[in-house]
Amino acid sequence: MVETYYKAVNWNAVEDAIDKATWEKLTEQFWLDTRIPLSNDLDDWRTLNATEKTVVDHVFGGLTLLDTLQSQDGIDQLRKDVRTPQELAVFNNIQFMESVHAKSYSSIFSTLCSAEEIDEIFDWTDHNEFLQKKAKMVNEIYQNGKPLEKKVASVFLETFLFYSGFYTPLYYLGNNKLANVAEIIKLIIRDESVHGTYIGYKFQVGFKALSEDEQARFQDWMYNLLYDLYDNEERYTEALYDDVGWTDDVKVFLRYNANKALMNLGQNPLFPDTADDVNPIVMNGLSTGTANHDFFSQVGNGYLLGHVAAMKDQDYDIGRK
Ligand code: MN3
Ligand code: MN3
């Protein structure tokens, strides 16, 4: 009789059906930045003034930093707390896709920006006070938090903190501009929607196992964290958007997405803002399907790896009831 030293992962004895369903969903929607014809957006890009271009540059610089954090530290920490071997496989997929996300902004930069402009963007992300603070707040929980706290930090990051940045490409998409740049962002949002739902679900499994007292104490911690992150996010939004006058609209969008993050975690919304309060141009950008690019001919008529169905509104709500 040999004692088991190492367990082989058995996908025919899946403990949690959500692991398998998530694996299938994520692998079905696999994509790469290199297959989107970004240079088709150059004509639109030239119509933007210098201030508008700087907003786009810094927005994508900030998003690069957050996806770098997810790919380098976030998933690395979450994978230490898995309950099943299939969950670990799902995190392998998520971690790789976070690297695709982080890289895809560089594809946008290399298409739209000069070398000096790219240097300026990365210098800005290194030194923007509020961007650095949010990365620090989230990463400190990743490094030192308990398993449930790490999951909250990840869902707050992915379902809430990214949206100060996502606002810009969705706004331009809603105005029929930068459609290919927006296509990348929509593919990222489609991934994040699954990540947020999945990690939120894993959170809820652990949260339900706590006593009522422990749950109440945990909720205090969670809502306090959200307030602190929201405070910083308001400052970040002002730094990004005051020059173009979009700050108030973006803050509505932030609160709407903060509520969505809480929903992913099975918690009650904090802010009164709903979809009806968000700028309809941005909601319009959010609700249009991905364009399904054919990566051989670049005609924008079908991203043909696997069967990628056009996105519907409710696709952003999977797993939420
Ligand atoms: Mn990501
Ligand atoms: Mn993610």
Side-chain angles (χ1 to χ4, degrees):
M1 192 63 187
V2 177
E3 260 184 60
T4 303
Y5 165 70
Y6 209 96
K7 289 283 285 177
V9 59
N10 182 359
W11 283 89
N12 293 309
V14 172
E15 285 168 53
D16 186 342
I18 302 283
D19 293 334
K20 190 158 186 270
T22 304
W23 172 272
E24 282 163 5
K25 173 107 182 130
L26 287 172
T27 49
E28 248 169 52
Q29 66 186 44
F30 175 77
W31 62 279
L32 288 171
D33 53 302
T34 43
R35 293 164 183 174
I36 308 292
L38 284 166
S39 57
N40 291 352
D41 285 354
L42 277 167
D43 284 346
D44 286 345
W45 180 245
R46 291 185 190 111
T47 68
L48 269 53
N49 67 36
T51 310
E52 292 164 337
K53 284 179 179 168
T54 300
V55 169
V56 174
D57 287 351
H58 290 175
V59 153
F60 288 151
L63 292 172
T64 306
L65 186 86
L66 300 186
D67 266 318
T68 307
L69 171 61
Q70 278 307 81
S71 67
Q72 293 182 353
D73 287 281
I75 307 305
D76 230 36
Q77 292 303 323
L78 291 169
R79 64 193 299 142
K80 292 178 179 167
D81 311 321
V82 297
R83 291 165 172 266
T84 70
Q86 291 82 12
E87 184 177 350
L88 189 62
V90 170
F91 277 123
N92 286 342
N93 174 295
I94 293 178
Q95 189 165 37
F96 176 73
M97 288 315 292
E98 299 300 0
S99 291
V100 173
H101 299 174
K103 176 181 175 292
S104 65
Y105 305 109
S106 285
S107 295
I108 296 172
F109 296 146
S110 67
T111 307
L112 303 180
C113 305
S114 68
E116 298 89 75
E117 285 164 344
I118 294 173
D119 286 346
E120 188 276 335
I121 292 166
F122 283 90
D123 186 62
W124 184 88
T125 65
D126 285 348
H127 299 106
N128 179 274
E129 178 188 348
F130 310 110
L131 178 62
Q132 288 294 325
K133 186 175 172 189
K134 92 167 128 174
K136 189 169 180 225
M137 286 172 77
V138 171
N139 196 36
E140 277 180 354
I141 297 166
Y142 284 155
Q143 302 303 330
N144 306 310
K146 299 186 185 85
L148 285 181
E149 292 171 346
K150 289 191 252 176
K151 289 181 178 66
V152 168
S154 181
V155 171
F156 281 174
L157 182 71
E158 299 200 320
T159 313
F160 165 40
L161 298 176
F162 269 94
Y163 281 83
S164 51
F166 288 155
Y167 185 94
T168 294
L170 293 172
Y171 173 89
Y172 282 116
L173 180 65
N175 285 292
N176 289 315
K177 279 190 180 165
L178 302 176
N180 294 284
V181 166
E183 178 69 7
I184 288 205
I185 302 309
K186 295 201 59 138
L187 289 163
I188 292 175
I189 289 174
R190 190 176 65 172
D191 289 347
E192 299 308 355
S193 167
V194 180
H195 301 172
T197 309
Y198 180 68
I199 295 165
Y201 158 76
K202 291 288 178 179
F203 167 83
Q204 291 185 50
V205 171
F207 184 76
K208 281 182 188 131
L210 299 179
S211 71
E212 262 180 51
D213 262 14
E214 289 167 328
Q215 288 188 353
R217 248 177 291 132
F218 194 91
Q219 281 168 322
D220 279 348
W221 175 86
M222 178 171 19
Y223 281 89
N224 279 331
L225 174 65
L226 188 63
Y227 274 121
D228 289 347
L229 289 169
Y230 179 75
D231 265 357
N232 182 64
E233 206 60 16
E234 282 202 311
R235 304 288 88 74
Y236 182 61
T237 298
E238 288 154 12
L240 277 175
Y241 290 108
D242 274 359
D243 287 348
V244 285
W246 299 357
T247 303
D248 288 344
D249 270 7
V250 178
K251 286 182 183 174
V252 174
F253 195 51
L254 288 183
R255 295 191 291 268
Y256 165 69
N257 285 293
N259 284 343
K260 284 204 150 193
L262 287 166
M263 278 165 58
N264 275 343
L265 296 163
Q267 307 297 315
N268 293 321
L270 178 64
F271 298 108
D273 310 74
T274 68
D276 293 338
D277 300 306
V278 176
N279 183 339
I281 294 170
V282 170
M283 287 312 278
N284 184 36
L286 195 57
S287 66
T288 56
T290 60
N292 283 359
H293 292 281
D294 176 341
F295 54 84
F296 294 113
S297 64
Q298 299 201 337
V299 293
N301 188 29
Y303 191 105
L304 294 176
L305 193 67
H307 284 285
V308 181
M311 288 294 287
K312 297 183 214 79
D313 235 1
Q314 55 265 39
D315 288 329
Y316 291 98
D317 297 321
I318 55 152
R320 295 189 194 122
K321 290 274 141 47

